[in-house]
Amino acid sequence: MTTERTAAPTVRPAPTGARGALRAAGPALLVYAAVRAVGLLVLAIWTAAEGENVHTILAQRWDSLWYARIAEDGYGHTEYIGGRAEHDLAFFPLFPALERALTTVLPVPTHDAGLIIGWTAGLAATWGIHAVAVQVTGRRAVGLVLVVLWAALPPAFVQSMAYTETLFTALAAWTLYAVLTGRWYTAGALAVAAGLTRPSGLAVAAAVLTGGALELWRARRPRPRVLAAMALAPLGWLGYVAFVGARMGSPTGYFDVQKDWGNGFDGGAGFLGFLTERLRADPAHGLLVLAVLACGLVLLIQCVRQGQPLPLLVYTLLIAASALVSEGYFSSRPRLLMPAFPLLLPLAAWLARLPRPATVATLSAAALGSGLYGAWFVLTQSPP
């Protein structure tokens, strides 16, 4: 990786290679595994009490079924629900491609391959999140706390499912790290992969473009590696959108597919309507949503005050915006925000400054609360 190093858009020194970064992230990986184990234990106990199967919930429900079907049969499946045609083309291809690849080398069913990929990607995301935090703040303790906060988010139960959140976050975190440390070829390649994983891969590409533009402005001359990364970054997202357009026979085919799923972009009008309806029909719920939005805004302001590099700010802002400007199904919004881990950096820095017993108690309560919330949600609410 060191052969790609150029001047970085941050003044902080990069860790000494991947092996050293992995050793530094060892405690974070162990703590992440422990937090997710708590969540899984709570879910297993609760599902057993309800007569449900925890493995089925994690690997064979909701979006997991769509990814497994694509992995096994390719694209081409459509379900007609309420007069709408829901195409599997709404799901980006990298996750099912990895599922298919894994089942060719391991004797496991497709849905279990999805779990293996999701759990492995969770560890990769942890390592990347820790690396970004140390790069930005220079403090391993902040990276450790940030990992726990990310693992203990209320919708973090999705990190244990055969969903794409962990894979996308891993690709995004390592892309951001590559941008911050001037590894431009790596940044471009990882951005392509992120763009093949989720629609929000466009936010990762924007981070690369932002970092590249800053680097070119500082250098005052062309840098081939930077230009190559900037050219590569959006190709994954653009390539899949073009593929869907060709399959649907329309240049707007991808957006038509999303519209059929009720996920069209409406500039936030749908979310505003949802919030207004909640405030009218269930004021407590509506006020809770408003409180969460206010906390998010405060954290975003603190990210700026913390002096986070511009690529991180752009990425975080676009992830947050993409979760709020589309219409339709709003129960998925919390998990769509989960990859915006830099938003938690100011909170992590504050918690890391507290006396250790206070930090440990706070994070332990968050881990337990996350497990309880996750079990309650998957057993009583709509799909995540």
Side-chain angles (χ1 to χ4, degrees):
M1 292 176 69
T2 56
T3 58
E4 293 185 24
R5 206 182 281 275
T6 66
T10 177
V11 297
R12 299 190 180 276
T16 56
R19 190 170 298 177
L22 180 57
R23 284 197 299 269
L29 294 170
L30 291 174
V31 170
Y32 172 80
V35 173
R36 295 311 318 136
V38 168
L40 285 173
L41 179 61
V42 172
L43 180 61
I45 294 172
W46 200 325
T47 52
E50 295 289 334
E52 295 275 359
N53 185 295
V54 66
H55 178 266
T56 300
I57 290 174
L58 295 176
Q60 295 174 276
R61 289 275 179 89
W62 308 306
D63 288 4
S64 301
L65 295 174
W66 287 88
Y67 287 119
R69 186 186 293 115
I70 294 167
E72 293 170 351
D73 303 325
Y75 286 104
H77 180 77
T78 303
E79 291 188 4
Y80 295 89
I81 301 174
R84 293 187 293 110
E86 297 185 347
H87 303 272
D88 57 8
L89 290 167
F91 296 89
F92 277 56
L94 184 58
F95 191 85
L98 292 176
E99 286 182 313
R100 186 177 184 89
L102 192 58
T103 58
T104 64
V105 297
L106 292 179
V108 295
T110 305
H111 54 264
D112 284 342
L115 277 185
I116 293 170
I117 293 165
W119 291 11
T120 303
L123 294 173
T126 297
W127 183 12
I129 290 170
H130 183 270
V132 169
V134 174
Q135 182 69 23
V136 171
T137 68
R139 299 178 59 202
R140 292 183 184 179
V142 175
L144 183 62
V145 174
L146 178 61
V147 162
V148 178
L149 288 175
W150 185 70
L153 286 170
F157 62 90
V158 177
Q159 297 174 19
S160 298
M161 298 175 67
Y163 269 47
T164 60
E165 270 65 29
T166 53
L167 177 62
F168 178 77
T169 305
L171 293 168
W174 282 110
T175 301
L176 293 170
Y177 178 77
V179 169
L180 295 178
T181 56
R183 295 170 167 89
W184 294 106
Y185 289 150
T186 301
L190 290 174
V192 170
L196 291 170
T197 304
R198 294 188 61 80
S200 46
L202 205 55
V204 180
V208 176
L209 292 171
T210 301
L214 286 173
E215 176 63 22
L216 293 174
W217 181 78
R218 289 181 178 129
R220 305 290 183 180
R221 61 185 177 86
R223 287 185 176 272
R225 292 175 179 176
V226 178
L227 293 171
M230 295 174 72
L232 281 172
L235 293 185
W237 188 89
L238 290 173
Y240 185 66
V241 169
F243 166 77
V244 176
R247 286 286 295 262
M248 298 296 292
S250 168
T252 62
Y254 169 75
F255 303 99
D256 296 337
V257 167
Q258 290 293 343
K259 188 77 173 177
D260 288 340
W261 274 83
N263 292 325
F265 294 96
D266 62 1
F271 181 77
L272 182 60
F274 164 78
L275 179 57
T276 302
E277 191 276 333
R278 288 291 84 196
L279 287 169
R280 180 187 59 80
D282 187 355
H285 186 193
L287 289 173
L288 177 61
V289 174
L290 278 177
V292 171
L293 288 174
C295 289
L297 180 60
V298 169
L299 285 174
L300 186 60
I301 293 171
Q302 290 302 313
C303 288
V304 176
R305 295 184 62 185
Q306 191 181 34
Q308 289 187 19
L310 187 58
L312 262 69
L313 295 174
V314 168
Y315 166 78
T316 302
L317 183 61
L318 289 179
I319 290 291
S322 67
L324 299 177
V325 300
S326 59
E327 59 183 338
Y329 184 64
F330 293 101
S331 293
S332 64
R333 295 303 184 266
R335 72 174 175 88
L336 297 181
L337 285 167
M338 195 160 46
F341 66 89
L343 199 62
L344 299 171
L345 253 177
L347 181 58
W350 177 74
L351 285 172
R353 290 194 297 267
L354 296 178
R356 181 171 294 183
T359 303
V360 171
T362 301
L363 295 178
S364 298
L368 180 59
S370 173
L372 291 169
Y373 174 84
W376 168 80
F377 191 98
V378 298
L379 289 171
T380 66
Q381 302 300 302
S382 303

